[in-house]
Amino acid sequence: MEKTCIIGCGAIFARHSEAVEALKEKTVLAAVCDIKKEKAIAAAEKFGCKAYFDYVKMLDEVKPTVVHVCTPHYLHFEMAAECLKRNINVVLEKPSAETYEKALKLCEIAKNSSAKVCVCFQNRYNKTSQALKTKISSGKYGKIYGARAFVTWSRDDAYYAESGWRGKMATEGGGVLINQSIHTLDLMQWVMGDVVKVEGTAVNHRFKHINDVEDTAEIALDFANGSRGIFFATVGYVKDSPIFLEIITEKAVFTLCDSLKINYADGSVETVENDRVATGEKAYWGDSHTLLISDFYSKIHDPEAFWVSPEEGAKCMRILNEVNRL
Ligand SMILES: NC(=O)c1ccc[n+]([C@@H]2O[C@H](COP(=O)([O-])OP(=O)(O)OC[C@H]3O[C@@H](n4cnc5c(N)ncnc54)[C@H](O)[C@@H]3O)[C@@H](O)[C@H]2O)c1
């Protein structure tokens, strides 16, 4: 039986606590921690566990076997490293760190720990993403020509003003690229394979008065398989549109936009629907945290590292690191 603690009782906490609750036969939620005392106390009351306001004290006293890091980006590296030093497994919210250098350093620290890390790229578990990855990796569709992806979402001043850490390079590590659109960039590079060249620009069109990070970015990518990619992301749109990812191959065009549509060269069409469709205010987060977290706990004692590892987390960070900030 594992013993779980969660650090950070903010917006994403519910997805992690629900996933842990659903794993009653494998773990118990022993304690939660937030520097905002009222948040930690409310979460602890809801789940019948202990509340802490200092995560190191929680690690010392509770001695968990798994810690979920659900804090602002600038704390990911420090908290994950502290857990790994103590050989405590980590479920780490994306991004794996707020800089590429720290993301790489985390890979080294993880290698020297007997504990495992799971980076929360939960959208890799969506039925449509899995189908896309399996089909493209099969090599059955001939040459891969290229991919394009769009993330056009909406954020407002209040979203940045209320959070205290978003919109600031020092605490968020970037804007739309490292936060909102990182999942789509991850899906693109996961499916298309190694990236050999990156050229891109990141700009702040709409939030100059409040933020020092980009709200809009475009990236041109060259992949090792000889294909090309175009990536565009913004939080300056008027709504959170479904993400769009298209992959063009010799024998079919794959379009992921809610469902996955495959238009074959012979005119036939195949559609894959997601079986778990998120609804409500934060539907754009997807609904696959439970799948990812449950998979991690089921593999926690396997000899090899978990597949959504710090190395996987560092791949997107490498791409973002090469984007030119104007
Ligand atoms: N995977 C996804 O789809 C997804 C979706 C949303 C957020 N996230 C990620 O989850 C993380 C948290 O985001 P959020 O939206 O919940 O943010 P949030 O601001 O709502 O919550 C963060 C919480 O961490 C707490 N905190 C800050 N410093 C702390 C410290 N030193 N010790 C303990 N607690 C501390 C804050 O008080 C706050 O309650 C971010 O990395 C974000 O990118 C991921």
Side-chain angles (χ1 to χ4, degrees), residues 1-5 19-30 64-66 68 89 290-302:
M1 196 75 169
E2 307 301 336
K3 198 195 257 188
T4 297
C5 288
V20 171
E21 278 274 285
L23 289 168
K24 277 204 164 73
E25 75 292 354
K26 288 206 173 79
T27 191
V28 60
L29 182 56
T65 60
V66 189
H68 294 234
N89 300 290
T290 305
L291 297 175
L292 167 74
I293 291 167
S294 154
D295 195 29
F296 181 64
Y297 276 81
S298 74
K299 294 179 173 142
I300 223 159
H301 297 294
D302 287 359

Side-chain angles (χ1 to χ4, degrees), residues 37-61:
K37 290 189 175 177
E38 67 288 358
K39 284 194 180 186
I41 291 167
E45 272 172 11
K46 184 170 176 197
F47 293 98
C49 64
K50 276 195 87 170
Y52 282 87
F53 319 120
D54 173 340
Y55 85 97
V56 175
K57 187 166 188 257
M58 178 172 75
L59 300 184
D60 284 342
E61 291 184 8

Side-chain angles (χ1 to χ4, degrees), residues 7-13 33-36 39 55 70-76 79 93-95 120 122 163 165-166 179 183 285 289:
I7 316 174
C9 303
I12 203 61
F13 171 82
C33 172
D34 202 296
I35 43 164
K36 290 185 181 148
K39 284 194 180 186
Y55 85 97
C70 300
T71 48
H73 299 175
Y74 72 103
L75 294 166
H76 289 189
M79 290 177 168
E93 261 305 345
K94 50 59 117 171
C120 286
Q122 76 277 0
S163 100
W165 64 273
R166 296 190 188 89
N179 196 336
H183 290 292
W285 286 352
H289 268 96

